[in-house]
Amino acid sequence: QVQLVESGGGLVQPGGSLRLSCAASGSILSVNGMGWHRQIPGKQRELVASITSGGSTNYADSVKGRFTISRDGTKNTVYLQMNSLKAEDTALYYCNCVGRRWSGSVFNSWGQGTQVAVAS
């Protein structure tokens, strides 16, 4: 089993910052990539940012220039630094990790979600 534990969500005022963390643990041989998605009730989950094992990053247009994804490969941990937050960033943020288990099988695991609320 592979478990993802997220932290760092909360309530922040518009223009403020938050840093999300997600640590993957369990039977992990290798990680191909990690990322953050978000979901608003009644809408589809959308990709916010992702990072590969090689360090390549990808961002949703709506967060480019404001959010930064980074990763500590030694700890299988991914971070999302969110600056200049807007009300429309309010959502439940999910961490995702794709890789291979020691058994050789591929996994695609999700965290339980951490709430981010941006309001004055």
Side-chain angles (χ1 to χ4, degrees), residues 12-44:
V12 64
Q13 292 185 341
S17 299
L18 282 175
R19 188 188 193 216
L20 305 183
S21 300
C22 171
S25 63
S27 180
I28 299 173
L29 173 63
S30 61
V31 172
N32 294 342
M34 300 184 76
W36 290 94
H37 294 68
R38 66 187 181 188
Q39 189 168 23
I40 300 169
K43 293 192 175 182
Q44 285 190 332

PDB file of all heavy atoms in Angstrom, residues 12-44:
ATOM      1  N   VAL A  12      -7.059  31.754   4.535  1.00  0.00           N
ATOM      2  CA  VAL A  12      -6.116  32.854   4.316  1.00  0.00           C
ATOM      3  C   VAL A  12      -6.856  33.979   3.601  1.00  0.00           C
ATOM      4  O   VAL A  12      -7.820  33.733   2.866  1.00  0.00           O
ATOM      5  CB  VAL A  12      -4.901  32.368   3.498  1.00  0.00           C
ATOM      6  CG1 VAL A  12      -5.303  31.931   2.106  1.00  0.00           C
ATOM      7  CG2 VAL A  12      -3.804  33.411   3.462  1.00  0.00           C
ATOM      8  N   GLN A  13      -6.390  35.187   3.813  1.00  0.00           N
ATOM      9  CA  GLN A  13      -6.989  36.330   3.144  1.00  0.00           C
ATOM     10  C   GLN A  13      -6.504  36.448   1.702  1.00  0.00           C
ATOM     11  O   GLN A  13      -5.409  35.965   1.381  1.00  0.00           O
ATOM     12  CB  GLN A  13      -6.649  37.613   3.895  1.00  0.00           C
ATOM     13  CG  GLN A  13      -7.293  37.729   5.268  1.00  0.00           C
ATOM     14  CD  GLN A  13      -7.030  39.068   5.911  1.00  0.00           C
ATOM     15  OE1 GLN A  13      -6.109  39.800   5.537  1.00  0.00           O
ATOM     16  NE2 GLN A  13      -7.841  39.412   6.908  1.00  0.00           N
ATOM     17  N   PRO A  14      -7.284  37.066   0.845  1.00  0.00           N
ATOM     18  CA  PRO A  14      -6.821  37.297  -0.530  1.00  0.00           C
ATOM     19  C   PRO A  14      -5.474  38.004  -0.539  1.00  0.00           C
ATOM     20  O   PRO A  14      -5.250  38.938   0.240  1.00  0.00           O
ATOM     21  CB  PRO A  14      -7.922  38.173  -1.123  1.00  0.00           C
ATOM     22  CG  PRO A  14      -9.136  37.809  -0.351  1.00  0.00           C
ATOM     23  CD  PRO A  14      -8.659  37.549   1.051  1.00  0.00           C
ATOM     24  N   GLY A  15      -4.582  37.522  -1.408  1.00  0.00           N
ATOM     25  CA  GLY A  15      -3.235  38.058  -1.465  1.00  0.00           C
ATOM     26  C   GLY A  15      -2.258  37.344  -0.564  1.00  0.00           C
ATOM     27  O   GLY A  15      -1.043  37.576  -0.656  1.00  0.00           O
ATOM     28  N   GLY A  16      -2.764  36.489   0.283  1.00  0.00           N
ATOM     29  CA  GLY A  16      -1.915  35.766   1.215  1.00  0.00           C
ATOM     30  C   GLY A  16      -1.265  34.544   0.603  1.00  0.00           C
ATOM     31  O   GLY A  16      -1.403  34.279  -0.595  1.00  0.00           O
ATOM     32  N   SER A  17      -0.558  33.800   1.447  1.00  0.00           N
ATOM     33  CA  SER A  17       0.191  32.626   0.993  1.00  0.00           C
ATOM     34  C   SER A  17      -0.083  31.430   1.882  1.00  0.00           C
ATOM     35  O   SER A  17      -0.382  31.579   3.072  1.00  0.00           O
ATOM     36  CB  SER A  17       1.703  32.917   1.015  1.00  0.00           C
ATOM     37  OG  SER A  17       2.041  33.979   0.151  1.00  0.00           O
ATOM     38  N   LEU A  18       0.040  30.269   1.291  1.00  0.00           N
ATOM     39  CA  LEU A  18      -0.018  29.002   2.012  1.00  0.00           C
ATOM     40  C   LEU A  18       0.969  28.050   1.359  1.00  0.00           C
ATOM     41  O   LEU A  18       1.271  28.164   0.162  1.00  0.00           O
ATOM     42  CB  LEU A  18      -1.411  28.376   1.950  1.00  0.00           C
ATOM     43  CG  LEU A  18      -2.507  28.914   2.846  1.00  0.00           C
ATOM     44  CD1 LEU A  18      -3.828  28.220   2.531  1.00  0.00           C
ATOM     45  CD2 LEU A  18      -2.160  28.717   4.319  1.00  0.00           C
ATOM     46  N   ARG A  19       1.439  27.101   2.155  1.00  0.00           N
ATOM     47  CA  ARG A  19       2.317  26.062   1.618  1.00  0.00           C
ATOM     48  C   ARG A  19       1.737  24.706   1.974  1.00  0.00           C
ATOM     49  O   ARG A  19       1.579  24.374   3.151  1.00  0.00           O
ATOM     50  CB  ARG A  19       3.719  26.190   2.194  1.00  0.00           C
ATOM     51  CG  ARG A  19       4.737  25.248   1.537  1.00  0.00           C
ATOM     52  CD  ARG A  19       6.044  25.281   2.290  1.00  0.00           C
ATOM     53  NE  ARG A  19       7.133  24.644   1.544  1.00  0.00           N
ATOM     54  CZ  ARG A  19       8.099  23.926   2.098  1.00  0.00           C
ATOM     55  NH1 ARG A  19       8.111  23.747   3.404  1.00  0.00           N
ATOM     56  NH2 ARG A  19       9.069  23.420   1.358  1.00  0.00           N
ATOM     57  N   LEU A  20       1.426  23.933   0.950  1.00  0.00           N
ATOM     58  CA  LEU A  20       0.914  22.583   1.138  1.00  0.00           C
ATOM     59  C   LEU A  20       2.063  21.584   1.057  1.00  0.00           C
ATOM     60  O   LEU A  20       2.995  21.765   0.276  1.00  0.00           O
ATOM     61  CB  LEU A  20      -0.134  22.241   0.081  1.00  0.00           C
ATOM     62  CG  LEU A  20      -1.320  23.182  -0.071  1.00  0.00           C
ATOM     63  CD1 LEU A  20      -2.280  22.635  -1.129  1.00  0.00           C
ATOM     64  CD2 LEU A  20      -2.030  23.393   1.245  1.00  0.00           C
ATOM     65  N   SER A  21       1.951  20.534   1.868  1.00  0.00           N
ATOM     66  CA  SER A  21       2.935  19.456   1.843  1.00  0.00           C
ATOM     67  C   SER A  21       2.216  18.133   1.685  1.00  0.00           C
ATOM     68  O   SER A  21       1.085  17.969   2.141  1.00  0.00           O
ATOM     69  CB  SER A  21       3.746  19.430   3.140  1.00  0.00           C
ATOM     70  OG  SER A  21       4.446  20.625   3.338  1.00  0.00           O
ATOM     71  N   CYS A  22       2.893  17.193   1.050  1.00  0.00           N
ATOM     72  CA  CYS A  22       2.330  15.853   0.876  1.00  0.00           C
ATOM     73  C   CYS A  22       3.472  14.854   0.921  1.00  0.00           C
ATOM     74  O   CYS A  22       4.402  14.937   0.120  1.00  0.00           O
ATOM     75  CB  CYS A  22       1.586  15.756  -0.443  1.00  0.00           C
ATOM     76  SG  CYS A  22       1.066  14.080  -0.873  1.00  0.00           S
ATOM     77  N   ALA A  23       3.365  13.923   1.852  1.00  0.00           N
ATOM     78  CA  ALA A  23       4.389  12.900   2.001  1.00  0.00           C
ATOM     79  C   ALA A  23       3.834  11.543   1.617  1.00  0.00           C
ATOM     80  O   ALA A  23       2.775  11.141   2.117  1.00  0.00           O
ATOM     81  CB  ALA A  23       4.895  12.870   3.438  1.00  0.00           C
ATOM     82  N   ALA A  24       4.542  10.850   0.744  1.00  0.00           N
ATOM     83  CA  ALA A  24       4.152   9.508   0.320  1.00  0.00           C
ATOM     84  C   ALA A  24       4.980   8.480   1.085  1.00  0.00           C
ATOM     85  O   ALA A  24       6.187   8.649   1.256  1.00  0.00           O
ATOM     86  CB  ALA A  24       4.375   9.339  -1.180  1.00  0.00           C
ATOM     87  N   SER A  25       4.316   7.421   1.528  1.00  0.00           N
ATOM     88  CA  SER A  25       5.018   6.375   2.272  1.00  0.00           C
ATOM     89  C   SER A  25       4.422   5.015   1.925  1.00  0.00           C
ATOM     90  O   SER A  25       3.340   4.917   1.367  1.00  0.00           O
ATOM     91  CB  SER A  25       4.914   6.630   3.773  1.00  0.00           C
ATOM     92  OG  SER A  25       3.570   6.565   4.194  1.00  0.00           O
ATOM     93  N   GLY A  26       5.162   3.984   2.277  1.00  0.00           N
ATOM     94  CA  GLY A  26       4.700   2.630   2.003  1.00  0.00           C
ATOM     95  C   GLY A  26       5.679   1.890   1.123  1.00  0.00           C
ATOM     96  O   GLY A  26       6.875   2.179   1.102  1.00  0.00           O
ATOM     97  N   SER A  27       5.145   0.952   0.383  1.00  0.00           N
ATOM     98  CA  SER A  27       5.980   0.076  -0.444  1.00  0.00           C
ATOM     99  C   SER A  27       6.332   0.760  -1.769  1.00  0.00           C
ATOM    100  O   SER A  27       5.846   0.388  -2.828  1.00  0.00           O
ATOM    101  CB  SER A  27       5.238  -1.233  -0.708  1.00  0.00           C
ATOM    102  OG  SER A  27       6.020  -2.087  -1.510  1.00  0.00           O
ATOM    103  N   ILE A  28       7.214   1.740  -1.691  1.00  0.00           N
ATOM    104  CA  ILE A  28       7.562   2.545  -2.861  1.00  0.00           C
ATOM    105  C   ILE A  28       8.967   2.217  -3.335  1.00  0.00           C
ATOM    106  O   ILE A  28       9.931   2.407  -2.608  1.00  0.00           O
ATOM    107  CB  ILE A  28       7.467   4.053  -2.537  1.00  0.00           C
ATOM    108  CG1 ILE A  28       6.049   4.431  -2.128  1.00  0.00           C
ATOM    109  CG2 ILE A  28       7.902   4.876  -3.759  1.00  0.00           C
ATOM    110  CD1 ILE A  28       5.919   5.854  -1.633  1.00  0.00           C
ATOM    111  N   LEU A  29       9.055   1.729  -4.557  1.00  0.00           N
ATOM    112  CA  LEU A  29      10.358   1.498  -5.171  1.00  0.00           C
ATOM    113  C   LEU A  29      10.859   2.765  -5.853  1.00  0.00           C
ATOM    114  O   LEU A  29      12.015   3.138  -5.711  1.00  0.00           O
ATOM    115  CB  LEU A  29      10.279   0.359  -6.187  1.00  0.00           C
ATOM    116  CG  LEU A  29      11.532   0.110  -7.032  1.00  0.00           C
ATOM    117  CD1 LEU A  29      12.690  -0.303  -6.143  1.00  0.00           C
ATOM    118  CD2 LEU A  29      11.267  -0.927  -8.117  1.00  0.00           C
ATOM    119  N   SER A  30       9.953   3.379  -6.590  1.00  0.00           N
ATOM    120  CA  SER A  30      10.329   4.598  -7.312  1.00  0.00           C
ATOM    121  C   SER A  30       9.089   5.450  -7.546  1.00  0.00           C
ATOM    122  O   SER A  30       7.978   4.936  -7.588  1.00  0.00           O
ATOM    123  CB  SER A  30      10.995   4.260  -8.642  1.00  0.00           C
ATOM    124  OG  SER A  30      10.114   3.536  -9.464  1.00  0.00           O
ATOM    125  N   VAL A  31       9.326   6.750  -7.689  1.00  0.00           N
ATOM    126  CA  VAL A  31       8.247   7.691  -7.974  1.00  0.00           C
ATOM    127  C   VAL A  31       8.489   8.320  -9.337  1.00  0.00           C
ATOM    128  O   VAL A  31       9.572   8.839  -9.600  1.00  0.00           O
ATOM    129  CB  VAL A  31       8.162   8.775  -6.885  1.00  0.00           C
ATOM    130  CG1 VAL A  31       7.177   9.856  -7.286  1.00  0.00           C
ATOM    131  CG2 VAL A  31       7.761   8.165  -5.550  1.00  0.00           C
ATOM    132  N   ASN A  32       7.501   8.262 -10.198  1.00  0.00           N
ATOM    133  CA  ASN A  32       7.600   8.875 -11.522  1.00  0.00           C
ATOM    134  C   ASN A  32       7.224  10.347 -11.478  1.00  0.00           C
ATOM    135  O   ASN A  32       7.812  11.171 -12.177  1.00  0.00           O
ATOM    136  CB  ASN A  32       6.698   8.156 -12.522  1.00  0.00           C
ATOM    137  CG  ASN A  32       7.154   6.741 -12.794  1.00  0.00           C
ATOM    138  OD1 ASN A  32       8.296   6.391 -12.508  1.00  0.00           O
ATOM    139  ND2 ASN A  32       6.264   5.922 -13.331  1.00  0.00           N
ATOM    140  N   GLY A  33       6.230  10.664 -10.681  1.00  0.00           N
ATOM    141  CA  GLY A  33       5.785  12.042 -10.600  1.00  0.00           C
ATOM    142  C   GLY A  33       4.811  12.230  -9.466  1.00  0.00           C
ATOM    143  O   GLY A  33       4.205  11.283  -8.973  1.00  0.00           O
ATOM    144  N   MET A  34       4.698  13.481  -9.038  1.00  0.00           N
ATOM    145  CA  MET A  34       3.737  13.855  -8.003  1.00  0.00           C
ATOM    146  C   MET A  34       3.051  15.144  -8.430  1.00  0.00           C
ATOM    147  O   MET A  34       3.593  15.905  -9.243  1.00  0.00           O
ATOM    148  CB  MET A  34       4.440  14.046  -6.658  1.00  0.00           C
ATOM    149  CG  MET A  34       5.142  12.799  -6.160  1.00  0.00           C
ATOM    150  SD  MET A  34       5.894  12.981  -4.512  1.00  0.00           S
ATOM    151  CE  MET A  34       4.428  12.891  -3.471  1.00  0.00           C
ATOM    152  N   GLY A  35       1.870  15.356  -7.890  1.00  0.00           N
ATOM    153  CA  GLY A  35       1.167  16.559  -8.296  1.00  0.00           C
ATOM    154  C   GLY A  35       0.071  16.944  -7.338  1.00  0.00           C
ATOM    155  O   GLY A  35      -0.213  16.234  -6.372  1.00  0.00           O
ATOM    156  N   TRP A  36      -0.501  18.101  -7.616  1.00  0.00           N
ATOM    157  CA  TRP A  36      -1.620  18.619  -6.845  1.00  0.00           C
ATOM    158  C   TRP A  36      -2.798  18.886  -7.780  1.00  0.00           C
ATOM    159  O   TRP A  36      -2.619  19.466  -8.862  1.00  0.00           O
ATOM    160  CB  TRP A  36      -1.225  19.922  -6.138  1.00  0.00           C
ATOM    161  CG  TRP A  36      -0.242  19.731  -5.031  1.00  0.00           C
ATOM    162  CD1 TRP A  36       1.115  19.839  -5.110  1.00  0.00           C
ATOM    163  CD2 TRP A  36      -0.547  19.387  -3.683  1.00  0.00           C
ATOM    164  NE1 TRP A  36       1.681  19.579  -3.879  1.00  0.00           N
ATOM    165  CE2 TRP A  36       0.677  19.305  -2.985  1.00  0.00           C
ATOM    166  CE3 TRP A  36      -1.735  19.154  -2.983  1.00  0.00           C
ATOM    167  CZ2 TRP A  36       0.745  18.987  -1.621  1.00  0.00           C
ATOM    168  CZ3 TRP A  36      -1.665  18.846  -1.640  1.00  0.00           C
ATOM    169  CH2 TRP A  36      -0.437  18.766  -0.974  1.00  0.00           C
ATOM    170  N   HIS A  37      -3.952  18.455  -7.339  1.00  0.00           N
ATOM    171  CA  HIS A  37      -5.195  18.725  -8.034  1.00  0.00           C
ATOM    172  C   HIS A  37      -6.127  19.428  -7.054  1.00  0.00           C
ATOM    173  O   HIS A  37      -5.913  19.386  -5.841  1.00  0.00           O
ATOM    174  CB  HIS A  37      -5.844  17.421  -8.504  1.00  0.00           C
ATOM    175  CG  HIS A  37      -5.066  16.685  -9.545  1.00  0.00           C
ATOM    176  ND1 HIS A  37      -3.848  16.097  -9.291  1.00  0.00           N
ATOM    177  CD2 HIS A  37      -5.330  16.434 -10.856  1.00  0.00           C
ATOM    178  CE1 HIS A  37      -3.388  15.524 -10.391  1.00  0.00           C
ATOM    179  NE2 HIS A  37      -4.273  15.709 -11.354  1.00  0.00           N
ATOM    180  N   ARG A  38      -7.159  20.047  -7.567  1.00  0.00           N
ATOM    181  CA  ARG A  38      -8.141  20.673  -6.678  1.00  0.00           C
ATOM    182  C   ARG A  38      -9.544  20.471  -7.231  1.00  0.00           C
ATOM    183  O   ARG A  38      -9.731  20.264  -8.436  1.00  0.00           O
ATOM    184  CB  ARG A  38      -7.849  22.160  -6.492  1.00  0.00           C
ATOM    185  CG  ARG A  38      -7.998  23.021  -7.740  1.00  0.00           C
ATOM    186  CD  ARG A  38      -7.513  24.436  -7.461  1.00  0.00           C
ATOM    187  NE  ARG A  38      -7.652  25.302  -8.625  1.00  0.00           N
ATOM    188  CZ  ARG A  38      -7.172  26.543  -8.696  1.00  0.00           C
ATOM    189  NH1 ARG A  38      -6.502  27.060  -7.648  1.00  0.00           N
ATOM    190  NH2 ARG A  38      -7.347  27.264  -9.780  1.00  0.00           N
ATOM    191  N   GLN A  39     -10.487  20.525  -6.298  1.00  0.00           N
ATOM    192  CA  GLN A  39     -11.881  20.296  -6.683  1.00  0.00           C
ATOM    193  C   GLN A  39     -12.797  21.203  -5.889  1.00  0.00           C
ATOM    194  O   GLN A  39     -12.669  21.320  -4.654  1.00  0.00           O
ATOM    195  CB  GLN A  39     -12.265  18.833  -6.465  1.00  0.00           C
ATOM    196  CG  GLN A  39     -13.618  18.457  -7.025  1.00  0.00           C
ATOM    197  CD  GLN A  39     -13.824  16.962  -7.044  1.00  0.00           C
ATOM    198  OE1 GLN A  39     -13.190  16.210  -6.299  1.00  0.00           O
ATOM    199  NE2 GLN A  39     -14.715  16.513  -7.903  1.00  0.00           N
ATOM    200  N   ILE A  40     -13.723  21.808  -6.612  1.00  0.00           N
ATOM    201  CA  ILE A  40     -14.777  22.611  -5.997  1.00  0.00           C
ATOM    202  C   ILE A  40     -16.050  21.790  -6.084  1.00  0.00           C
ATOM    203  O   ILE A  40     -16.275  21.115  -7.091  1.00  0.00           O
ATOM    204  CB  ILE A  40     -14.953  23.941  -6.758  1.00  0.00           C
ATOM    205  CG1 ILE A  40     -13.640  24.734  -6.728  1.00  0.00           C
ATOM    206  CG2 ILE A  40     -16.082  24.767  -6.185  1.00  0.00           C
ATOM    207  CD1 ILE A  40     -13.636  25.914  -7.659  1.00  0.00           C
ATOM    208  N   PRO A  41     -16.888  21.811  -5.052  1.00  0.00           N
ATOM    209  CA  PRO A  41     -18.137  21.027  -5.103  1.00  0.00           C
ATOM    210  C   PRO A  41     -18.917  21.303  -6.381  1.00  0.00           C
ATOM    211  O   PRO A  41     -19.133  22.458  -6.756  1.00  0.00           O
ATOM    212  CB  PRO A  41     -18.888  21.506  -3.869  1.00  0.00           C
ATOM    213  CG  PRO A  41     -17.810  21.892  -2.918  1.00  0.00           C
ATOM    214  CD  PRO A  41     -16.732  22.496  -3.762  1.00  0.00           C
ATOM    215  N   GLY A  42     -19.316  20.219  -7.043  1.00  0.00           N
ATOM    216  CA  GLY A  42     -20.104  20.344  -8.257  1.00  0.00           C
ATOM    217  C   GLY A  42     -19.290  20.485  -9.522  1.00  0.00           C
ATOM    218  O   GLY A  42     -19.845  20.531 -10.619  1.00  0.00           O
ATOM    219  N   LYS A  43     -17.962  20.536  -9.365  1.00  0.00           N
ATOM    220  CA  LYS A  43     -17.096  20.667 -10.531  1.00  0.00           C
ATOM    221  C   LYS A  43     -16.097  19.516 -10.572  1.00  0.00           C
ATOM    222  O   LYS A  43     -15.861  18.841  -9.578  1.00  0.00           O
ATOM    223  CB  LYS A  43     -16.356  22.003 -10.506  1.00  0.00           C
ATOM    224  CG  LYS A  43     -17.267  23.200 -10.680  1.00  0.00           C
ATOM    225  CD  LYS A  43     -16.457  24.452 -10.948  1.00  0.00           C
ATOM    226  CE  LYS A  43     -17.364  25.647 -11.246  1.00  0.00           C
ATOM    227  NZ  LYS A  43     -16.586  26.874 -11.567  1.00  0.00           N
ATOM    228  N   GLN A  44     -15.515  19.323 -11.756  1.00  0.00           N
ATOM    229  CA  GLN A  44     -14.529  18.253 -11.907  1.00  0.00           C
ATOM    230  C   GLN A  44     -13.213  18.625 -11.240  1.00  0.00           C
ATOM    231  O   GLN A  44     -12.857  19.806 -11.152  1.00  0.00           O
ATOM    232  CB  GLN A  44     -14.289  17.985 -13.399  1.00  0.00           C
ATOM    233  CG  GLN A  44     -15.413  17.226 -14.088  1.00  0.00           C
ATOM    234  CD  GLN A  44     -15.005  16.772 -15.490  1.00  0.00           C
ATOM    235  OE1 GLN A  44     -14.171  17.403 -16.133  1.00  0.00           O
ATOM    236  NE2 GLN A  44     -15.590  15.686 -15.941  1.00  0.00           N
TER     237      GLN A  44
END
